[in-house]
């Protein structure tokens, strides 16, 4: 048996013991993990130093190194996040629906853990702990496959979590790091149908596409956000400017930031110059189509069609003038990623139509795209934002890490 | 563009027009389909005769030919089923949850169609109409890929449905037959990510496995049922006999019929002879392990390990004696398909433990496995029974053919 299969089998076995545990057992285990992370912070910092040194050697940018770096205060925050997850309600055991059937059978549909969740992720080592905590809270085992750049940190974090679980009712095997960083081990994870119940890739478009293409395990796609702000003919333009700048520039590196501005042609001559001024002041470069450039002035950089479907994740925004609301919807349908698209309008009819026609995880009316977030929605925590339609769409909290089971109880009922 | 892609694009385009239609428009279209099927029944019978003749030429069994055959009364029943689907509530537009966030944003999660649903199925041509009607009712376009044995019938049925839609608000392109029956067209369907939102294979284990392995479109696995009846030490044995015979023999060709009997060793000597008598009387051959044979008498045929994970779909049942409830659960975990497993017991503790430990779409307590069915559960109609954990598990009705969309409405809200 490969090293991967040993680990995956261990996670599966542990998940069977974990699934029926009551909330108190899981919360105690999460607090033990938080305590251990704080108590062994120096050990984590040391392991992380090896990753940082290697990244520096590899010529990684300082911005990326900063994302990778762990220090004692950051570890404290990671532990706090685990404690917050312990405070959240347990989704497992919730009766989703139930009835007594006409024949007297008592039918209930009950929330149960998925089993083993595989997470393939890039970048920051805090995801290692965050994802593990969310999976444990929802009664699932977890197989973690982080990036090679954080392997030393992730190894230390998983070891500390496992050792913390030893003293609790949650089996230590429920949290596993996928051994090695070979393509082979990623491939094994993606083909482990039956052992792994769902794979959640967290990262850029290329990672997600590769997982979707190669995986026979069901996948939940997350996080690619080509979000649009459409400024309608009937928009309150001051609101539109505030929403536009917030959606683009409040934090540029996240999936719910705006990447494209669409302006109705009826107001383009009036609105575009104001938008250019506001965006320029916010440090944003605007890549516009000819119609946009015609009213936007010399600061408008020509846009390519490819840019319309690309996440800049930077102080850049694509821009186009559209002939109508339907034209905006057609643009979004063609180039968007189905994450979040906003309309700014005072027309109830336009808002209703936009909401009906835009086929995205979230549609914002007179609000910034930046609100599409588990925390903002009040879900308490999120494992990612699904841009697919199956199982979960939009911010995924703890209930999205569960399945359901039908239970029916009779008194010798047979079917006639 | 391949013929498949033309058809898939047409379905996608039509699905965008169909998605926002109100219930009345969809119900009218369904009734138009039902009327057209009845009015043009002779045409369908004629097309079907070609399939039947070909099947006979190919040496197909009479039982299979009977499943394939359409006559006027059967077509009437198919039309009635469409009318029943028109009567069901529309899942689209349901507000799944909603709240006003602390910042005043109004958040709603609304049920929306999935988009385009691909169905790959074997056997009976009634599935063509049934699946199309369920997809239309839930606002989805549908790509139908039936078996070659029913190609002539399916072509006629789809043509009649499309022509019936011409006179309604539902675009005729929303119902499409995948052209040709080559492996290439099935492959194109399975790789049509972005055009097809979900694939539902309906058929045997080998079809389903192939789709799961090859598809980059998200798949919902359905229908393979290796269902167990576990007779506990604390069982009411008369109930156990009635449930066992019903689960096995009331209808042997369906996925929720029982394929394996597990008996607690404490009652084996007493119960097994009674079970043998009852099963034999129902015409069932019992394939038992040595411990079962030791008390079951000469009529017990030796079982092979492979049989434990096979759907007989016939008057055969595997049987084993288990040392404990945990032993029964271990057997089910190892060999089951996660469809439906039943316990017969008068012990509340045993029932609770079995429900907690068995990880299947449905768990029955003192009831036949045959109740796992959308109709029996009161869902009105079902497109299949999901044996996977993502998106939908167990009988899938109309809501399971939808996704959701978050809509949030503000008054110029920006994130701080």
């Amino acid at each position: 048996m490969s090293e991967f299969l040993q680990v995956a089998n261990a996670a599966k076995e542990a998940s069977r013991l974990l699934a029926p545990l009551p909330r108190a057992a899981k919360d105690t285990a999460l607090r033990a993990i938080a305590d251990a992370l704080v108590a062994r912070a120096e050990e984590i910092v040391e392991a992380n130093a090896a990753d940082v040194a290697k990244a520096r050697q590899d010529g990684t940018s300082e911005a990326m190194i900063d994302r990778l770096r762990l220090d004692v205060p950051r570890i404290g925050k990671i532990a706090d996040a685990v404690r917050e997850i312990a405070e959240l309600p347990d989704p497992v055991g919730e009766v989703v629906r139930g009835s007594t059937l006409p024949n007297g059978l008592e039918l209930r549909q009950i929330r149960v853990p998925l089993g083993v969740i595989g997470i393939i992720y890039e970048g920051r080592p805090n995801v290692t702990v965050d994802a593990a905590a969310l999976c444990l809270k929802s009664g699932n085992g977890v197989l973690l496959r982080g990036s090679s750049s954080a392997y030393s940190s992730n190894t230390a974090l998983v070891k500390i979590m496992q050792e913390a679980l030893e003293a609790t009712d949650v089996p230590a095997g429920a949290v596993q790091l996928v051994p090695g960083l070979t393509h082979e081990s990623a491939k094994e994870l993606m083909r482990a149908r039956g052992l792994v119940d769902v794979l959640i890739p967290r990262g850029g478009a290329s990672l997600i596409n590769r997982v979707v293409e190669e995986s026979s395990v069901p996948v939940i796609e997350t996080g690619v956000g080509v979000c649009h702000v459409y400024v309608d003919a009937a928009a309150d333009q001051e609101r539109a400017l505030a929403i536009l700048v917030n959606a683009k520039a409040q934090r540029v590196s996240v999936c719910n930031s705006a990447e494209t501005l669409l302006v109705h042609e009826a107001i383009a001559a009036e609105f575009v110059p104001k938008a250019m001024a506001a965006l320029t002041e916010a440090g944003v470069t605007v890549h516009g189509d000819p119609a946009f450039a015609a009213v936007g002035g010399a600061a408008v950089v020509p846009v390519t069609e490819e840019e319309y479907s690309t996440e800049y994740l930077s102080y850049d925004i694509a821009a186009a003038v559209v002939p109508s609301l339907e034209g905006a919807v057609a643009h979004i349908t063609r180039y968007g990623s189905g994450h979040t698209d906003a309309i700014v309008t005072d027309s109830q009819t336009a808002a209703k139509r936009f909401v009906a026609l835009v086929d995205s995880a979230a549609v914002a009316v007179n609000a910034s795209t930046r609100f599409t977030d588990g925390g903002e929605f009040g879900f308490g925590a999120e494992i990612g934002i699904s841009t697919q339609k199956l199982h979960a769409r939009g911010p995924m909290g703890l209930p999205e890490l569960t399945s359901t089971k039908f239970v029916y109880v009779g008194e010798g009922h047979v079917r006639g």
Side-chain angles (χ1 to χ4, degrees), chain A residues 216-388:
Chain A
S216 60
V217 173
V219 174
I220 300 180
E221 296 173 51
T222 65
V224 175
V226 179
C227 301
H228 298 74
V229 174
Y230 164 59
V231 182
D232 186 51
D236 175 325
Q237 294 188 21
E238 288 309 306
R239 272 187 188 172
L241 291 172
I243 287 168
L244 172 63
V245 170
N246 185 263
K248 176 66 248 180
Q250 196 241 358
R251 195 166 162 209
V252 298
S253 63
V254 291
C255 62
N256 59 14
S257 63
E259 305 293 8
T260 302
L261 163 65
L262 301 172
V263 180
H264 192 290
E265 65 178 12
I267 58 157
E270 185 191 350
F271 180 73
V272 169
K274 291 193 271 184
M276 282 305 296
L279 288 167
T280 305
E281 198 194 314
V284 176
T285 302
V286 182
H287 306 243
D289 73 344
F292 192 95
V295 285
V300 178
V301 176
V303 71
T304 64
E305 192 181 3
E306 209 193 333
E307 285 175 81
Y308 284 142
S309 51
T310 307
E311 271 187 301
Y312 288 114
L313 300 174
S314 62
Y315 284 90
D316 294 87
I317 194 165
V321 172
V322 292
S324 60
L325 184 145
E326 285 70 22
V329 170
H331 183 108
I332 292 166
T333 301
R334 181 154 185 194
Y335 300 111
S337 65
H339 189 296
T340 301
D341 301 295
I343 181 172
V344 186
T345 188
D346 262 357
S347 157
Q348 179 69 16
T349 305
K352 197 163 186 294
R353 194 151 174 76
F354 189 83
V355 165
L357 294 179
V358 169
D359 186 22
S360 294
V363 181
V365 177
N366 294 330
S368 170
T369 56
R370 292 275 295 113
F371 288 108
T372 302
D373 175 279
E376 292 292 324
F377 281 6
F379 299 170
E382 86 178 22
I383 190 103
I385 295 178
S386 164
T387 52
Q388 70 172 36

Side-chain angles (χ1 to χ4, degrees), chain A residues 105-190:
Chain A
L105 267 185
E106 291 170 9
L107 176 70
R108 283 170 299 150
Q109 186 180 16
I110 298 170
R111 224 176 253 299
V112 296
L114 282 164
V116 173
I117 298 176
I119 317 264
I120 301 187
Y121 56 105
E122 293 167 338
R124 288 184 289 181
N126 63 314
V127 173
T128 306
V129 177
D130 200 46
L134 288 165
C135 290
L136 292 181
K137 176 78 189 198
S138 50
N140 296 291
V142 61
L143 284 173
L144 298 156
R145 206 222 182 238
S147 79
S148 58
S149 65
Y151 193 61
S152 170
S153 316
N154 290 341
T155 304
L157 289 167
V158 170
K159 183 166 172 275
I160 289 168
M161 288 193 281
Q162 287 176 332
E163 288 173 10
L165 292 177
E166 292 292 356
T168 76
D169 289 341
V170 172
V175 179
Q176 299 283 355
L177 194 67
V178 173
L181 287 161
T182 58
H183 273 288
E184 203 42 57
S185 72
K187 203 151 197 157
E188 280 191 286
L189 175 56
M190 293 190 271

